[in-house]
């Protein structure tokens, strides 16, 4: 091997490892060339803002997929947690109140209760997967339907509006940066630390990498699985808070299909459905790819219907490239 | 000249980034020959076979099959030429019938283009007969034993008109009896005029069944010999390029107190009333046939299965072990039988694989993992155990079997065990690495660790153990001092002919 060939080798490896970043930059350059306002600070902030809700969900599902699971109930978890947060955080002047006689609570109460319940719902998913052994696909599919029903039951089908300023705050801006983006970045940091620097993350990789070996290595697989799903639930709770803040209301059908966007973002970011492979930065970049694509295609005037077709092709294309990369590694 | 060979691979060169895997290898196979391929892991056997199967394209060299040069071909083409490979890891379609597997992708059709199930059944029966399998072809594949599945794969290769069968370690999961049967069938296939490339790590098998041997070392073919021209030591010397002085470097060491005592341990139908003890510094070999319950015993002690009754004492104190993490807490460590299935995390790096069982010692007060310590310990053990790897960040799947095993042993040692269970520690590992692992086991005993070693290789059991526990169908039939003992005695215990522990109440009339 001469050094030039080795240099090429290294170059290809870099391209492979960070390929998705190049794709993102490439897309941004193209959109910028066609429509220079794409790259304006305002528009970039808008992209990040739009990315935040399913970006936060993608963080949770990244961990689940690393542990070789899946969560199809994330959208309904967001709706359910959102309804809880909203119902406990309505203005006294609201026309329809879920709890008519409830006094205005300190804003921490609806948020804490909402996050707690979201975490418990996630843990329940994890419980079914870990203890009964049914596939995560089925467990969370069932949970989706259950939660949507629970949402309708909870508000009798009504949307919950007129939220207190403390909740609406999460949809506004702080020093010019949207709160959703700030929350997203904090959550990404939190997930990064959990995944790479704690036992919790290490166990997720172990379970996805080889569940039998994990068991033999003294890892409590059931408990770790429950924790991973609970974490995803928590992320759905946070996403729900941001949702309530941005939209200023939550209805029982909210966030429908968001889980698919989150899973797509994770997948584009290189998290492997076969488990054991995945990164937080990949999930973030994958989310941005989708968000840039949606925004950019609109900015350059591509038909909304075409946007969906392009998005779908990008998802499939990303996975094809990713699988080839992993195949080469073998 | 070249007509006398079925296959000629000349001067094959194949490079991968950073490695020259094959440096001009030659392989010549006659029609109707069983040709043994031996060499350490990484010597180039698999790479050469992948070149032959069309999975890799050689950088240089020629391949002649049936006298005609073939090149730039795909796996499909290779199969059409008449080359078939039976992988070490079987991959049948488990939930389809035997006949569907035999004719997979090659199903006989009726005139209308539908699958001709009747013909398929009739022809399957013929092929099954040729490989000595008496089974209903409509039975589903997953109901068969591994040995039979392997024979069905052979039948499948024959049915696709293969002239050359490559068998990659076909004996690795078979019992002695099944191996004998396999050899009979292999000879029969040879009589039919087909050739077989037989890859194995068990050298005695090479001598038993092969007509010709090619020896590989470091990407070169270093020997082309007949089994009659060489003995086992000569072959090993060719393979490793040096003399392996002592495959079993067991040395006497002082025994301490009893470290582990097991009393009347039972687990479901797997095994019953197993009692034994091991001292510090002692190696207890566990012998028996496949299915005797040896693996189950140690896995139950280790908390991977729930015991139905019995007691376990560690250093005189009774302990309850309900999970592997309890086992680690009690100073035990287990090297599992199937490295790929429940040992390694293939897509994760050596650091992870080394430290996964010991993670709690790397967690700082802040609950964060101390990655520096992990890297330092991994590097230390790579050096200590002489793991051959470019870096501690290498994914473990890219290491050879022997080096993977060393990483797994590092994983156990990091937990500082007092008692270590080794389940087939050298299965599928080449001779050089084998003697290193044996040396390591011996060192462990010298450090006062109790070693319980399950092995199906009697020379290994006899070469390494202080005492030997023999099991037969879930029962301990003998616990023997490893002195003046021979293989046939152990086999008598293993097959249940001898039993030192016949309980009085069930004593037979003829006992």
């Amino acid at each position: 091997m001469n050094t030039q060939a080795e240099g090429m080798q290294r170059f290809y490896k870099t391209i492979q490892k960070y390929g998705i970043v190049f794709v993102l930059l490439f897309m941004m350059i193209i959109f910028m060339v066609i429509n220079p306002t794409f790259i304006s600070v305002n528009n970039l902030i808008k992209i990040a803002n739009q990315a935040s809700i399913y970006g936060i969900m993608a963080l949770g599902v990244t961990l689940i997929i690393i542990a070789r699971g899946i969560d199809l109930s994330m959208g309904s978890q967001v709706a359910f947690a959102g309804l809880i947060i909203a119902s406990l955080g309505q203005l006294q002047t609201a026309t329809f109140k879920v709890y008519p006689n409830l006094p205005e609570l300190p804003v921490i109460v609806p948020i804490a209760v909402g996050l707690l319940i979201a975490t418990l719902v996630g843990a329940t998913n994890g419980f079914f997967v870990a203890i009964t052994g049914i596939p995560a696909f089925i467990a969370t599919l069932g949970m989706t339907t259950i939660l949507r029903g629970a949402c309708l039951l909870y508000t009798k089908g009504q949307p919950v509006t007129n939220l207190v300023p403390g909740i609406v705050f999460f949809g506004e801006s702080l020093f010019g940066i949207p709160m959703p983006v700030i929350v997203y970045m904090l959550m990404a940091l939190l997930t990064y630390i959990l995944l790479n620097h704690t036992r919790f993350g290490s166990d997720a990789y172990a379970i996805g990498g080889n569940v039998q070996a994990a068991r033999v290595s003294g890892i409590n697989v059931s408990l770790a699985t429950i924790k991973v799903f609970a974490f995803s639930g928590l992320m759905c709770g946070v996403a729900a808070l941001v949702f309530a803040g941005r939209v200023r209301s939550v209805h029982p059908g909210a966030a429908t299909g968001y889980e698919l966007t989150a899973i797509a973002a994770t997948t584009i970011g290189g998290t492997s459905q076969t488990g054991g492979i995945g990164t937080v930065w990949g999930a973030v970049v994958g989310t941005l790819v989708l968000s840039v694509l949606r925004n950019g295609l609109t900015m350059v005037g591509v038909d909304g219907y075409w946007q969906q077709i392009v998005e779908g092709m990008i998802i499939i294309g990303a996975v094809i490239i990713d699988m080839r990369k992993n195949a080469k590694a073998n | 000249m070249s007509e006398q060979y079925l296959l000629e691979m000349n001067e094959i060169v194949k490079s991968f980034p950073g490695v020259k895997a094959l440096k001009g290898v030659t392989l010549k196979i006659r029609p109707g020959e069983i040709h043994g391929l031996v060499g350490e892991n990484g010597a180039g056997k698999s790479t050469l076979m992948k070149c032959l199967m069309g999975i890799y394209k050689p950088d240089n060299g020629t391949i002649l099959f049936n006298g005609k040069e073939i090149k730039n071909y795909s796996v499909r083409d290779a199969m059409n030429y008449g080359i078939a490979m039976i992988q070490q890891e079987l991959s049948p379609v488990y939930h389809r019938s035997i006949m569907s597997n035999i004719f997979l992708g090659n199903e006989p059709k009726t005139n209308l283009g539908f699958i001709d199930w009747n013909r398929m059944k009739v022809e399957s029966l013929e092929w099954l007969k040729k490989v000595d399998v008496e089974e209903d072809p409509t039975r589903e594949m997953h109901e068969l034993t591994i040995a039979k599945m392997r024979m069905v794969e052979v039948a499948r290769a024959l049915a696709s008109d293969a002239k050359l069968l490559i068998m990659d370690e076909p004996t690795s999961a078979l019992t002695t009896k099944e191996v004998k049967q396999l050899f009979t069938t292999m000879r029969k296939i040879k009589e039919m005029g087909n050739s077989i490339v037989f890859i194995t790590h068990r050298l005695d098998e090479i001598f038993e069944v092969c007509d010709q041997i090619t020896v590989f070392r470091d990407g070169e073919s270093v020997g082309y010999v007949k089994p009659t021209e060489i003995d086992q030591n000569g072959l090993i010397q060719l393979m490793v390029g040096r003399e392996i002085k002592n495959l079993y470097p067991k040395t006497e060491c002082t025994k301490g107190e009893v470290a582990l005592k097991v009393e009347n341990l039972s687990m479901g139908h797997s095994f019953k009333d197993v009692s034994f003890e091991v001292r510090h510094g002692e190696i207890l070999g566990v012998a028996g046939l496949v299915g005797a319950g040896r693996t189950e015993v140690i896995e139950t002690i280790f908390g991977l299965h729930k015991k139905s009754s019995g007691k376990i004492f560690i250093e005189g104190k009774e302990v309850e072990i309900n999970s592997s993490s309890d086992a680690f807490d009690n100073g035990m460590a287990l090297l599992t039988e199937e490295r790929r299935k429940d040992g390694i995390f293939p897509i994760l790096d050596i650091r992870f694989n080394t430290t996964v069982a010991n993670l709690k010692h790397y967690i700082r007060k802040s609950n964060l993992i101390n990655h520096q310590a992990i890297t330092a310990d991994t590097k230390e053990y790579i050096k200590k155990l002489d793991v051959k790897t470019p870096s501690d960040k290498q994914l473990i799947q890219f290491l050879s079997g022997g080096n993977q095993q060393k990483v797994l042993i590092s994983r156990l040692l990091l937990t500082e065990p007092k008692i270590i269970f080794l389940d087939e520690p050298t299965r599928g590992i080449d001779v050089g690495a084998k003697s290193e692992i044996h040396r390591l086991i011996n060192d462990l005993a010298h450090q006062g660790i109790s070693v319980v070693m399950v092995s199906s290789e009697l020379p290994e059991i006899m070469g390494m153990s202080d005492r030997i526990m023999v099991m037969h169908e879930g029962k301990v039939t003998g616990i023997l001092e490893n002195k003046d003992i021979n293989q046939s005695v152990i086999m008598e215990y293993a097959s249940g002919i001898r039993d030192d522990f016949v309980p009085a109440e069930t004593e037979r009339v003829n006992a």
Side-chain angles (χ1 to χ4, degrees):
Chain A
M1 283 280 127
N2 54 33
T3 47
Q4 197 187 347
E6 271 174 18
M8 286 302 279
Q9 193 76 36
R10 209 169 302 135
F11 176 71
Y12 282 128
K13 269 199 174 148
T14 315
I15 292 269
Q16 273 182 349
K17 188 167 178 200
Y18 299 106
I20 196 66
V21 178
F22 292 111
V23 170
L24 180 63
L25 292 176
F26 180 69
M27 275 172 25
M28 290 176 77
I29 290 168
I30 297 221
F31 289 138
M32 187 182 71
V33 169
I34 302 178
N35 184 348
T37 53
F38 171 82
I39 211 74
S40 68
V41 175
N42 269 343
N43 192 48
L44 291 181
I45 287 179
K46 195 173 150 197
I47 290 173
N49 199 1
Q50 284 166 340
S52 54
I53 291 177
Y54 58 83
I56 294 168
M57 294 162 73
L59 296 172
V61 81
T62 295
L63 255 86
I64 291 186
I65 297 176
I66 286 173
R68 209 186 275 198
I70 192 78
D71 190 350
L72 298 178
S73 66
M74 285 187 294
S76 57
Q77 288 184 57
V78 170
F80 190 62
L83 286 178
I84 302 243
I85 293 170
S87 64
L88 296 175
Q90 283 187 290
L91 292 168
Q92 293 300 320
T93 54
T95 43
F96 163 76
K97 285 192 79 184
V98 179
Y99 299 106
N101 301 320
L102 190 73
E104 190 174 319
L105 302 165
V107 71
I108 186 71
V109 176
I111 294 175
V113 173
L115 296 187
L116 181 70
I117 289 185
T119 309
L120 287 177
V121 169
T124 311
N125 273 332
F127 176 84
F128 283 129
V129 173
I131 307 297
T132 69
I134 58 173
F137 187 92
I138 303 297
T140 58
L141 188 68
M143 184 59 86
T144 306
T145 316
I146 293 172
L147 284 179
R148 286 290 172 195
C151 285
L152 290 164
L153 201 62
Y154 185 59
T155 68
K156 302 185 183 62
Q158 296 284 323
V160 184
T161 53
N162 302 91
L163 308 181
V164 296
I167 294 172
V168 173
F169 165 74
F170 285 93
E172 291 172 339
S173 289
L174 199 65
F175 311 117
I177 304 170
M179 273 307 287
V181 177
I182 295 173
V183 173
Y184 180 27
M185 283 161 62
L186 288 175
M187 289 304 119
L189 186 67
L190 172 72
T191 313
Y192 174 81
I193 292 170
L194 284 176
L195 187 60
N196 296 289
H197 294 281
T198 69
R199 167 119 225 188
F200 171 67
S202 181
D203 285 357
Y205 279 115
I207 292 170
N210 184 345
V211 66
Q212 302 260 37
R215 205 163 273 135
V216 174
S217 304
I219 291 168
N220 187 335
V221 172
S222 304
L223 187 63
T225 305
I226 292 173
K227 281 187 190 165
V228 166
F229 275 89
F231 177 76
S232 172
L234 176 65
M235 287 301 108
C236 287
V238 174
L241 175 62
V242 172
F243 185 99
R246 273 187 63 190
V247 184
R248 301 187 177 203
S249 83
V250 182
H251 63 99
T256 301
Y258 277 34
E259 63 279 350
L260 298 181
T261 310
I263 292 167
T266 305
T267 309
I268 291 172
T271 302
S272 163
Q273 300 293 325
T274 51
I277 300 174
T279 55
V280 170
W281 74 261
V284 172
V285 176
T287 304
L288 290 178
V289 166
L290 280 182
S291 197
V292 162
L293 193 70
R294 287 175 176 183
N295 174 285
L297 290 175
T298 312
M299 296 277 293
V300 302
V302 172
D303 185 338
Y305 301 147
W306 272 107
Q307 287 186 23
Q308 294 201 18
I309 293 175
V310 172
E311 199 180 307
M313 296 196 313
I314 296 256
I315 294 168
I316 293 172
V319 178
I320 291 173
I321 293 169
D322 204 56
M323 285 183 69
R324 283 173 59 98
K325 176 176 88 187
N326 290 336
K328 245 180 222 148
N330 288 327
Chain B
M1 261 275 299
S2 60
E3 280 88 311
Q4 74 180 98
Y5 293 109
L6 174 66
L7 172 75
E8 265 187 85
M9 297 180 86
N10 292 313
E11 298 297 311
I12 303 290
V13 176
K14 177 71 190 171
S15 292
F16 296 106
V19 226
K20 203 164 183 184
L22 299 176
K23 308 168 184 165
V25 174
T26 300
L27 178 67
K28 293 185 177 182
I29 294 168
R30 296 186 194 87
E33 171 179 271
I34 300 181
H35 194 110
L37 238 52
V38 295
E40 295 193 271
N41 286 333
K45 291 169 297 181
S46 338
T47 310
L48 186 71
M49 288 305 107
K50 282 180 178 164
C51 286
L52 177 58
M53 280 310 293
I55 298 168
Y56 295 152
K57 306 254 172 293
D59 302 337
N60 220 330
T62 54
I63 304 177
L64 274 73
F65 192 71
N66 260 335
K68 274 208 298 275
E69 182 167 358
I70 50 175
K71 56 179 171 189
N72 286 329
Y73 56 94
S74 66
V75 179
R76 189 84 226 170
D77 294 334
M79 285 158 79
N80 288 338
Y81 297 143
I83 309 171
M85 183 151 178
I86 292 149
Q87 304 279 358
Q88 181 184 2
E89 312 270 318
L90 292 174
S91 52
V93 187
Y94 286 101
H95 290 275
R96 298 285 283 163
S97 64
I98 295 175
M99 58 183 191
S100 296
N101 272 280
I102 292 179
F103 287 100
L104 195 68
N106 194 19
E107 293 85 356
K109 303 268 168 64
T110 62
N111 293 334
L112 289 171
F114 295 114
I115 291 177
D116 189 343
W117 292 105
N118 283 330
R119 208 171 109 210
M120 202 152 130
K121 190 171 175 184
V122 173
E123 288 184 18
S124 293
L125 270 174
E126 277 171 36
W127 290 118
L128 287 177
K129 209 173 147 196
K130 284 197 174 120
V131 296
D132 306 305
V133 174
E134 280 178 42
E135 287 290 346
D136 177 357
T138 58
R139 254 187 109 179
E140 284 193 10
M141 201 69 175
H142 64 94
E143 295 170 29
L144 304 184
T145 60
I146 292 183
K148 281 188 178 162
M149 282 188 204
R150 215 171 273 284
M151 294 327 295
V152 171
E153 299 249 333
V154 172
R156 181 184 161 189
L158 295 176
S160 69
D161 205 22
K163 293 276 167 291
L164 179 67
L165 268 69
I166 305 164
M167 301 181 84
D168 191 2
E169 300 209 29
T171 58
S172 63
L174 306 191
T175 64
T176 323
K177 205 173 140 202
E178 288 169 334
V179 170
K180 289 273 175 286
Q181 255 160 17
L182 176 76
F183 287 170
T184 311
T185 312
M186 281 167 69
R187 289 190 191 102
K188 211 163 131 189
I189 292 168
K190 179 174 95 174
E191 298 304 318
M192 286 157 58
N194 300 15
S195 300
I196 296 174
V197 174
F198 177 48
I199 303 175
T200 182
H201 280 297
R202 299 186 186 164
L203 296 182
D204 46 334
E205 295 177 351
I206 291 282
F207 286 97
E208 192 174 338
V209 78
C210 291
D211 305 306
Q212 186 73 47
I213 309 169
T214 297
V215 187
F216 282 71
R217 183 172 74 226
D218 298 332
E220 287 173 279
S221 36
V222 293
Y224 180 77
V225 289
K226 286 200 186 312
T228 45
E229 299 163 355
I230 197 167
D231 65 356
Q232 200 149 328
N233 281 333
L235 205 55
I236 292 176
Q237 209 165 326
L238 266 181
M239 281 165 61
V240 295
R242 61 184 192 279
E243 206 179 339
I244 296 239
K245 289 219 178 62
N246 196 352
L247 191 50
Y248 305 108
K250 168 84 175 122
T251 51
E252 206 52 45
C253 65
T254 44
K255 313 281 183 294
E257 295 293 304
V258 172
L260 169 73
K261 186 174 170 193
V262 175
E263 254 182 34
N264 298 320
L265 192 71
S266 303
M267 195 269 283
H269 298 292
S270 295
F271 59 85
K272 231 187 128 197
D273 285 336
V274 170
S275 302
F276 66 90
E277 53 182 49
V278 200
R279 296 177 175 281
H280 283 291
E282 184 182 35
I283 302 177
L284 176 74
V286 185
L289 302 174
V290 172
R294 298 168 299 167
T295 296
E296 288 78 1
V297 168
I298 58 175
E299 288 188 350
T300 305
I301 299 172
F302 200 70
L304 295 176
H305 308 296
K306 209 170 160 44
K307 67 179 185 203
S308 21
S309 63
K311 289 179 181 163
I312 298 167
F313 301 88
I314 288 177
E315 290 175 339
K317 272 213 309 269
E318 187 175 351
V319 289
E320 266 311 310
I321 291 161
N322 296 314
S323 70
S324 56
S325 94
D326 288 352
F328 282 116
D329 290 344
N330 278 296
M332 298 199 270
L334 165 71
L335 184 74
T336 54
E337 181 181 8
E338 292 189 53
R339 191 167 58 240
R340 285 191 198 84
K341 193 174 127 229
D342 48 25
I344 61 168
F345 296 89
I347 51 175
L348 299 174
D349 64 13
I350 296 181
R351 286 180 303 181
F352 187 96
N353 273 287
T354 305
T355 53
V356 59
N358 202 33
L359 208 53
K360 66 172 173 236
H361 291 108
Y362 299 102
I363 294 177
R364 294 198 175 102
K365 279 203 189 82
S366 58
N367 262 328
L368 299 184
I369 294 173
N370 184 347
H371 285 294
Q372 288 92 330
I374 284 188
T375 307
D377 281 0
T378 305
K379 284 192 169 147
E380 186 192 326
Y381 270 88
I382 287 176
K383 213 163 146 194
K384 238 188 202 168
L385 270 59
D386 196 21
V387 178
K388 287 181 192 70
T389 170
S391 107
D392 55 308
K393 289 181 189 147
Q394 177 75 296
L395 304 189
I396 196 169
Q397 62 184 348
F398 298 127
L399 301 188
S400 71
N403 284 310
Q404 289 181 353
Q405 201 73 319
K406 286 185 195 169
V407 171
L408 292 185
I409 293 176
S410 308
R411 180 194 293 174
L412 303 187
L413 296 184
L414 268 174
T415 67
E416 296 176 352
K418 289 179 286 194
I419 303 152
I420 201 160
F421 299 95
L422 305 169
D423 200 350
E424 306 284 0
T426 62
R427 170 178 286 178
I429 285 176
D430 50 59
V431 188
K434 215 169 189 168
S435 78
E436 281 182 67
I437 285 175
H438 287 150
R439 195 158 302 125
L440 210 66
I441 295 172
N442 189 46
D443 290 346
L444 297 183
H446 277 273
Q447 290 161 29
I449 296 175
S450 309
V451 180
V452 179
M453 181 182 74
V454 171
S455 173
S456 295
E457 287 184 45
L458 287 182
E460 180 170 87
I461 289 273
M462 295 172 56
M464 293 302 297
S465 312
D466 292 300
R467 286 183 305 138
I468 300 167
M469 176 166 96
V470 194
M471 290 187 67
H472 168 69
E473 292 184 349
K475 249 183 108 274
V476 174
T477 49
I479 294 181
L480 320 166
E481 286 294 327
N482 190 7
K483 272 189 202 125
D484 311 317
I485 214 175
N486 60 42
Q487 295 204 10
S488 54
V489 173
I490 297 180
M491 281 318 292
E492 283 173 26
Y493 281 100
S495 53
I497 299 170
R498 278 207 207 187
D499 189 345
D500 296 348
F501 299 94
V502 182
E505 63 266 35
T506 59
E507 219 160 335
R508 300 275 155 77
V509 197
N510 60 353

